[in-house]
Amino acid sequence: MRYLTIIFMSFLLYACDSADKSVEDFAKKTIAESQYAQGNPKFTNIYTVRWQGVVNNKVNYGNVAVCGEMETRDTNDKKIEKRRFVVELSDNDQTSSPNVKSVNIEREDLKRAVLSTKSTSNSESLFELLYWNMRCVDQQHQKTFTGLH
């Protein structure tokens, strides 16, 4: 019986990993096709955060944020820029592609510190306030504070 439990738990972990990999690949494709990705972006530090929502009075975990970093060339095709991204998806129907709720990529104008945190040592950027710290924080990933003054 113990061996069956181990096999079952291993299967569950594999199923979660493959579902997350599928959603992450979909998010990377979405970003690569967006106007913000110049050339062929290189993706790093990608992870998935799921949170519960309510659909038709039933709790489900189909709300997904794919978070990570990408390297892309600037508009002049000279300098490589590293940007964080958050792609929010709704993955309620496991049989089809997820629905894209939003694609949020860190731009220079979103790196400024939010007014309420400028006087503290932990300055949260606008990008972190609106996207990163709202959707990309879990047990393994803490809030970040990189706001520029």
Side-chain angles (χ1 to χ4, degrees):
M1 187 65 178
R2 182 172 58 200
Y3 295 112
L4 287 175
T5 303
I6 291 171
I7 290 171
F8 179 72
M9 295 303 288
S10 298
F11 175 74
L12 284 178
L13 288 173
Y14 174 77
C16 288
D17 286 347
S18 64
D20 285 352
K21 174 83 169 97
S22 172
V23 170
E24 289 169 5
D25 288 344
F26 182 81
K28 289 193 291 191
K29 181 180 175 202
T30 300
I31 290 172
E33 293 172 352
S34 77
Q35 63 185 7
Y36 300 108
Q38 301 291 326
N40 193 15
K42 178 183 173 189
F43 297 96
T44 57
N45 303 321
I46 297 176
Y47 61 96
T48 302
V49 177
R50 293 181 181 271
W51 68 95
Q52 75 180 30
V54 178
V55 176
N56 297 330
N57 296 323
K58 293 181 183 177
V59 174
N60 71 42
Y61 291 87
N63 296 306
V64 181
V66 177
C67 308
E69 297 175 338
M70 69 174 188
E71 288 182 358
T72 185
R73 297 218 176 255
D74 66 3
T75 53
N76 297 327
D77 203 30
K78 293 181 181 178
K79 186 176 95 175
I80 294 178
E81 298 176 329
K82 191 172 212 171
R83 299 178 181 190
R84 292 183 291 179
F85 64 84
V86 179
V87 179
E88 290 186 66
L89 305 166
S90 177
D91 194 23
N92 294 322
D93 179 8
Q94 299 294 325
T95 61
S96 63
S97 296
N99 296 320
V100 177
K101 294 166 105 178
S102 66
V103 177
N104 308 291
I105 299 174
E106 188 174 37
R107 300 182 318 262
E108 286 301 315
D109 60 328
L110 296 176
K111 291 183 179 182
R112 297 197 189 280
V114 178
L115 186 59
S116 63
T117 63
K118 280 188 177 180
S119 61
T120 67
S121 60
N122 293 336
S123 296
E124 190 172 39
S125 71
L126 187 56
F127 178 79
E128 291 163 336
L129 176 71
L130 297 176
Y131 310 114
W132 192 266
N133 290 345
M134 291 292 293
R135 294 293 181 224
C136 298
V137 175
D138 61 10
Q139 290 86 5
Q140 290 121 1
H141 305 93
Q142 302 298 313
K143 284 187 173 186
T144 60
F145 298 94
T146 62
L148 302 174
H149 295 282

